[in-house]
Amino acid sequence: MNTFRNFHPLTLAGYFLSVIGISIFTFNPIYLLSGLFGSLLFLITLMGFRKMFAHLRFYFLIFLIVTFTNPVFSHNGATVLFFINDNRVTLEALIYGAVLGLMITEVLLWFKCFNLVFDSERLLCLFGKTFPKLALVVSIALGFVPQFIRTFKSINSTQKALGFSKRRVQRYLTSFSAVITRSMEGAIITSDSMKCRGYGLKNRTYFSRFRFTAYDVLYILIFFVLLICTLPALFLGQSGVSFYPYVKFEMPTFFTVLSLLSFTVLAMIPSFFEVKEGIRWKYLISKI
Amino acid sequence: MKKILPFILLLVFVYSGCSIKSADDYYSATESGEYTATISISCKTAVDCKNFDRKNAEILTDYAVGFDEGDTVFDVLKNACKENKIQFEYDGSGTSVYVNGIDYLYEFDCGELSGWEYRVNGKFQNVGCNSCKLYDGDKIEWLYTCDLGADIGNVYKVE
């Protein structure tokens, strides 16, 4: 299947780098909303509707915290809502906080997509040859936390079932030390075993599922063109919004419209490929 | 209920430390004192600054404010801003108050050496604005600098 996540890791890395890079450096809510929409659609195709909504609660909480923290610390802005201890709490600061929260949420969501798409196989394919040690460390580190939680849960429930300790804290502590011991041993065994198999040696060849095809060149070119179309407005400051003392959008110019359109297209690309392949798959199944 | 109880207690605790007023209430309260000082706030340097869009240079000119014994430059600034409905923001408390911005003009708005400085009777003081006690008839000037004081006659010397 030619879905987005089966592109060559290099293409994927280029894509995520450009989308996250643009999102970090824009403060225009319209860009942020289109990026957020793209990442949400992609997440739906990756993990399904229901699971995504369960995740969204956490991100919404972050958004709320950032939104309501900003007016507490920043008292700039012309529209006064009320005064706390002789400091004004303003609508503009609240809006600025909301935009900041939107940006953080969006970037976190894109990183979530990145995490789901980029497994250790893709990471090793990307860096395995040039930086073998770094790739190994990163892939172990990325896999560490979920694995830790999984083993902790299984050890803890086993201890509970065997009735070793009724007290919760005590049980947690024993499970925790067991998991630590196990993961340390696991790390040593992993590195020993990789060393035995000659990982990182000069003439060792690697198996990789991914092949860099002409399509990948085409996609990278498309990403690059979209990136080039997006950047001028950002660098010229024409996509700017000023929040203080009043919220004011700059007059849209040709570059702004071009930049906004190309960023929206860029953000929609993954979900477009996923949905397209999904429909094709359903169609082929219905033919059988 | 057991889970949200700490949060409610925290909210009550934070709320008890705050005095919340509406904008009208805040601005309608007037202060008066036995002594008077005049205060001027000006940002001529910010108007001249090319990188920042600022039109009016004189925010306040020779405005008379009443104050009590032991009041500081910061108290007078606060009252003057309150009576004229001028926005201003500060950090810190006690003797370490720092004025970030007055009338939407903030530190660093005109480059990394810009910010607000004050002088009393034409002399720049080497203390924070909430440590500088005032006497009857003092003349306070708040001036905006784009060059660490050099453009308003307060050259910074490293000793």
Side-chain angles (χ1 to χ4, degrees):
Chain A
M1 282 220 302
N2 194 19
T3 54
F4 184 77
R5 69 199 113 145
N6 287 340
F7 286 179
H8 191 268
L10 192 67
T11 324
L12 289 177
Y15 176 79
F16 280 111
L17 209 65
S18 46
V19 166
I20 292 173
I22 293 170
S23 307
I24 286 175
F25 290 111
T26 47
F27 249 91
N28 193 325
I30 303 171
Y31 280 78
L32 296 177
L33 279 177
S34 72
L36 187 77
F37 189 62
S39 66
L40 282 181
L41 274 184
F42 190 30
L43 268 188
I44 289 175
T45 59
L46 283 177
M47 54 173 22
F49 213 67
R50 198 168 288 170
K51 218 174 158 199
M52 190 209 63
F53 267 101
H55 270 277
L56 271 192
R57 266 194 312 209
F58 166 71
Y59 292 104
F60 190 63
L61 194 70
I62 289 182
F63 172 74
L64 284 185
I65 289 173
V66 175
T67 306
F68 289 106
T69 308
N70 190 53
V72 175
F73 292 104
S74 165
H75 307 292
N76 206 342
T79 321
V80 183
L81 297 176
F82 52 88
F83 277 83
I84 289 183
N85 289 350
D86 296 346
N87 269 321
R88 46 165 74 186
V89 173
T90 63
L91 184 67
E92 280 80 11
L94 197 68
I95 292 171
Y96 187 85
V99 171
L100 198 67
L102 198 65
M103 180 172 81
I104 291 171
T105 323
E106 190 213 337
V107 172
L108 281 179
L109 281 172
W110 276 116
F111 269 112
K112 179 85 200 161
C113 297
F114 177 82
N115 244 348
L116 287 173
V117 167
F118 248 75
D119 47 9
S120 59
E121 207 179 341
R122 289 179 171 79
L123 211 70
L124 286 179
C125 167
L126 199 58
F127 296 116
K129 240 179 196 158
T130 37
F131 313 105
K133 278 190 184 141
L134 180 77
L136 187 63
V137 167
V138 169
S139 89
I140 286 177
L142 282 182
F144 181 76
V145 175
Q147 201 198 353
F148 193 93
I149 293 169
R150 235 180 295 130
T151 35
F152 182 82
K153 270 184 186 157
S154 77
I155 289 177
N156 195 33
S157 54
T158 312
Q159 291 220 339
K160 204 172 172 183
L162 290 174
F164 276 155
S165 175
K166 289 268 188 298
R167 266 176 294 181
R168 207 200 252 173
V169 178
Q170 201 177 0
R171 197 176 63 233
Y172 274 17
L173 281 176
T174 6
S175 311
F176 187 75
S177 89
V179 180
I180 292 274
T181 321
R182 189 170 150 171
S183 53
M184 274 180 169
E185 229 172 75
I188 292 166
I189 289 172
T190 311
S191 65
D192 272 354
S193 131
M194 302 225 33
K195 208 173 181 185
C196 291
R197 290 170 171 79
Y199 180 79
L201 288 182
K202 216 171 92 189
N203 293 325
R204 188 183 187 277
T205 54
Y206 289 91
F207 167 73
S208 168
R209 281 198 299 124
F210 310 104
R211 253 186 289 160
F212 199 75
T213 57
Y215 275 113
D216 285 298
V217 178
L218 178 72
Y219 294 139
I220 285 184
L221 267 180
I222 292 174
F223 298 159
F224 193 66
V225 168
L226 288 173
L227 188 67
I228 292 291
C229 292
T230 310
L231 288 182
L234 299 183
F235 277 114
L236 292 171
Q238 288 176 349
S239 68
V241 186
S242 53
F243 293 91
Y244 301 124
Y246 296 97
V247 177
K248 199 178 89 197
F249 282 86
E250 302 279 333
M251 272 302 284
T253 58
F254 168 73
F255 279 125
T256 325
V257 176
L258 178 77
S259 152
L260 193 58
L261 280 179
S262 39
F263 181 65
T264 311
V265 171
L266 192 68
M268 295 301 159
I269 281 177
S271 29
F272 167 75
F273 273 101
E274 295 287 330
V275 168
K276 192 196 83 180
E277 286 304 308
I279 290 171
R280 204 165 136 209
W281 180 244
K282 287 258 164 63
Y283 176 72
L284 288 176
I285 282 182
S286 69
K287 264 191 164 175
I288 303 169
Chain B
M1 190 58 206
K2 216 175 168 186
K3 268 184 183 170
I4 51 172
L5 196 66
F7 289 105
I8 294 174
L9 280 177
L10 186 75
L11 269 181
V12 169
F13 179 71
V14 169
Y15 184 79
S16 63
C18 299
S19 72
I20 297 180
K21 290 180 199 156
S22 75
D24 292 336
D25 284 350
Y26 179 78
Y27 284 126
S28 63
T30 48
E31 318 265 332
S32 58
E34 44 182 327
Y35 306 120
T36 46
T38 54
I39 181 169
S40 325
I41 308 171
S42 101
C43 56
K44 218 172 145 306
T45 51
V47 176
D48 297 338
C49 175
K50 285 188 189 67
N51 301 323
F52 193 73
D53 183 35
R54 174 88 199 183
K55 298 264 154 36
N56 70 317
E58 299 299 324
I59 297 162
L60 260 187
T61 24
D62 293 330
Y63 182 77
V65 194
F67 69 95
D68 290 320
E69 177 128 27
D71 275 4
T72 60
V73 172
F74 177 69
D75 296 322
V76 167
L77 174 72
K78 201 158 88 178
N79 289 339
C81 286
K82 198 189 223 178
E83 285 166 22
N84 292 288
K85 299 193 180 182
I86 294 169
Q87 183 264 352
F88 89 111
E89 184 178 341
Y90 64 93
D91 269 346
S93 61
T95 52
S96 62
V97 166
Y98 175 70
V99 175
N100 298 11
I102 302 174
D103 195 27
Y104 313 121
L105 182 62
Y106 274 67
E107 53 168 344
F108 309 133
D109 272 354
C110 300
E112 57 185 359
L113 299 178
S114 58
W116 285 98
E117 292 185 354
Y118 72 94
R119 59 184 178 193
V120 180
N121 297 329
K123 255 185 89 179
F124 286 98
Q125 310 288 314
N126 279 331
V127 289
C129 60
N130 208 16
S131 312
C132 185
K133 297 239 169 29
L134 287 174
Y135 300 98
D136 196 18
D138 272 352
K139 193 169 177 292
I140 308 161
E141 286 163 279
W142 280 89
L143 300 168
Y144 192 78
T145 174
C146 299
D147 194 17
L148 212 62
D151 51 354
I152 50 173
N154 182 28
V155 180
Y156 177 72
K157 286 192 245 19
V158 182
E159 284 165 20

